[in-house]
Amino acid sequence: MRPFDYIRAEDPAAARSAAAGSNAAFLSGGTNLLDLMKLEVMAPDTVVDISRLGLDAIEDDGDGLRIGATATNSDLAADMRVRKHWPVLSRALLAGASGQLRNKATTGGNLLQRTRCPYFYDTDTPCNKRTPGEGCSAIGGETRNHAILGTSDHCIALHPSDMAVALRALDTTVEVEAADGTSKSYEMDDFYRLPGDTPHRETVLEAGDLITGVRLPAPKGDRQIYRKVRDRASYAFALVSVAAVIRMENGRIAHAALAFGGLGTKPWRDPDFDTLLTGEAPSRALFDEAADVLLGRAVSHGGDDFKIPMARRVLRAVLEEATQ
Ligand SMILES: Cc1cc2nc3c(=O)[nH]c(=O)nc-3n(C[C@H](O)[C@H](O)[C@H](O)COP(=O)(O)OP(=O)(O)OC[C@H]3O[C@@H](n4cnc5c(N)ncnc54)[C@H](O)[C@@H]3O)c2cc1C
């Protein structure tokens, strides 16, 4: 591990100014950052501890909920309002990592956790995400845990978060205080960038930008499911996951919002998929047509070919359950 300065910030403004203009990283739960620093995949000059900024509240916000950036994954999953009105979020959180990790991991850190691509973690192999312009070892390499949607010729790394998949299906916005003190709010689709030819830039955040929280609007569907397929029953990242938020009216799908994990370079949602389902009566033919829309855009790489039929089966099972 390389030497670095450690600063414990007392308020958001102090955190932003400590991080601005240098190769700094915010330390929240530390469950991802510290591993990456030990492996020298990330080597910040300054680590700004944001765990004591008082950003851990989960508060009613009119018809929605505002979740502070340092609210832990455990507290969020256990919150009775979340369990009652946004159960897909609670289930996605509980499907991730382990109890010990969730006690430390935070909302902001979970959104920004880095990919689990093995080449990103192995500093002996080229990786455009770690060192821009170096090349991508995954393309033509071992690809069992890689993305099949949103990839580029420069990167096929998967976004690993379960929580972020549920947040996408729930139309969450991410709240940010920029390094200059201005407040911004992003839809999740705008917050995450596709890899393109700059895979090292994963979000719209600039140096010193601090996530202060996320806002959950009122749920648009009462039928909520998170289904995760993985190699082990716990403590494993998704091979394929689906977050579904559905509302039925008079036997038809009045609202459909589905987001996908294990498939995309960012938590994935396809507006054409949701549109195709909306207003229709549920049927096997409709679900297959929707899967064609989503997976017709997929590009697999050999080791991850299995994800296409697996995603189709998981999707069908989730939609059948959610629309019964
Ligand atoms: C063994 C293991 C298994 C796991 N399994 C799963 C799983 O199945 N599903 C899953 O979704 N996750 C899984 N995880 C990942 C885990 O969820 C993340 O490590 C965790 O959510 C990161 O949160 P943190 O608060 O610890 O982030 P940190 O490690 O503190 O930070 C992560 C990144 O976010 C930045 N950051 C943190 N907070 C802010 C903020 N407020 N503003 C700006 N930048 C910020 C940091 O600078 C850093 O770059 C697993 C992790 C481990 C170690």
Side-chain angles (χ1 to χ4, degrees):
M1 201 185 225
R2 296 194 201 158
F4 58 89
D5 292 330
Y6 171 84
I7 298 171
R8 181 183 294 160
E10 301 299 335
D11 58 61
R16 291 193 319 269
S17 75
S22 67
N23 176 26
F26 292 123
L27 174 71
S28 197
T31 61
N32 191 212
L33 178 67
L34 296 182
D35 282 352
L36 290 165
M37 288 175 65
K38 288 179 202 163
L39 294 167
E40 298 192 358
V41 173
M42 288 178 75
D45 301 330
T46 308
V47 170
V48 182
D49 186 340
I50 57 167
S51 62
R52 296 167 205 213
L53 300 186
L55 292 176
D56 56 352
I58 303 171
E59 296 168 312
D60 288 325
D61 178 11
D63 55 358
L65 212 57
R66 190 182 179 284
I67 301 158
T70 59
T72 66
N73 289 179
S74 291
D75 285 348
L76 188 54
D79 186 281
M80 284 312 292
R81 294 159 295 186
V82 174
R83 290 175 61 181
K84 185 167 180 199
H85 300 294
W86 297 273
V88 66
L89 174 58
S90 183
R91 288 180 193 139
L93 284 160
L94 293 175
S98 66
Q100 284 172 316
L101 283 160
R102 293 193 296 269
N103 286 343
K104 287 300 289 178
T106 62
T107 307
N110 194 317
L111 287 174
L112 294 183
Q113 62 173 296
R114 310 296 302 274
T115 183
R116 293 280 155 176
C117 175
Y119 301 105
F120 175 70
Y121 283 77
D122 178 358
T123 51
D124 290 334
T125 60
C127 171
N128 285 323
K129 193 181 271 300
R130 196 181 58 242
T131 314
E134 209 174 42
C136 174
S137 303
I139 297 173
E142 163 58 45
T143 55
R144 178 170 160 75
N145 288 313
H146 286 78
I148 59 173
L149 289 164
T151 56
S152 75
D153 292 343
H154 302 270
C155 185
I156 60 170
L158 186 67
H159 194 279
S161 170
D162 289 294
M163 181 194 78
V165 175
L167 291 182
R168 267 223 80 180
L170 291 166
D171 297 317
T172 307
T173 48
V174 182
E175 297 176 349
V176 174
E177 277 185 18
D180 63 7
T182 54
S183 297
K184 297 180 185 170
S185 177
Y186 297 97
E187 303 290 329
M188 284 189 69
D189 193 31
D190 300 328
F191 179 74
Y192 290 109
R193 297 164 57 109
L194 289 171
D197 58 5
T198 53
H200 59 293
R201 301 206 57 206
E202 294 169 356
T203 67
V204 293
L205 294 182
E206 304 285 348
D209 287 1
L210 177 72
I211 298 177
T212 52
V214 299
R215 185 175 187 281
L216 277 182
K220 299 191 181 103
D222 54 335
R223 300 180 181 211
Q224 299 185 15
I225 293 176
Y226 190 73
R227 182 78 49 86
K228 175 176 177 179
V229 180
R230 48 190 153 168
D231 283 327
R232 292 184 302 269
S234 72
Y235 213 45
F237 288 89
L239 295 170
V240 173
S241 72
V242 179
V245 179
I246 302 271
R247 189 177 76 255
M248 298 294 292
E249 278 174 15
N250 303 321
R252 292 188 175 268
I253 302 170
H255 175 78
L258 280 90
F260 304 90
L263 302 181
T265 51
K266 61 183 191 176
W268 202 258
R269 190 157 161 197
D270 185 331
D272 294 340
F273 179 93
D274 294 345
T275 303
L276 195 139
L277 293 173
T278 306
E280 301 296 326
S283 69
R284 172 68 70 90
L286 178 69
F287 301 157
D288 286 346
E289 194 185 340
D292 288 342
V293 166
L294 176 79
L295 297 167
R297 293 165 182 165
V299 179
S300 61
H301 316 90
D304 53 11
D305 289 352
F306 72 95
K307 288 189 176 184
I308 294 177
M310 181 182 275
R312 182 179 288 279
R313 286 195 297 274
V314 179
L315 192 49
R316 191 189 282 160
V318 166
L319 284 171
E320 280 174 356
E321 186 181 333
T323 58
Q324 261 171 15

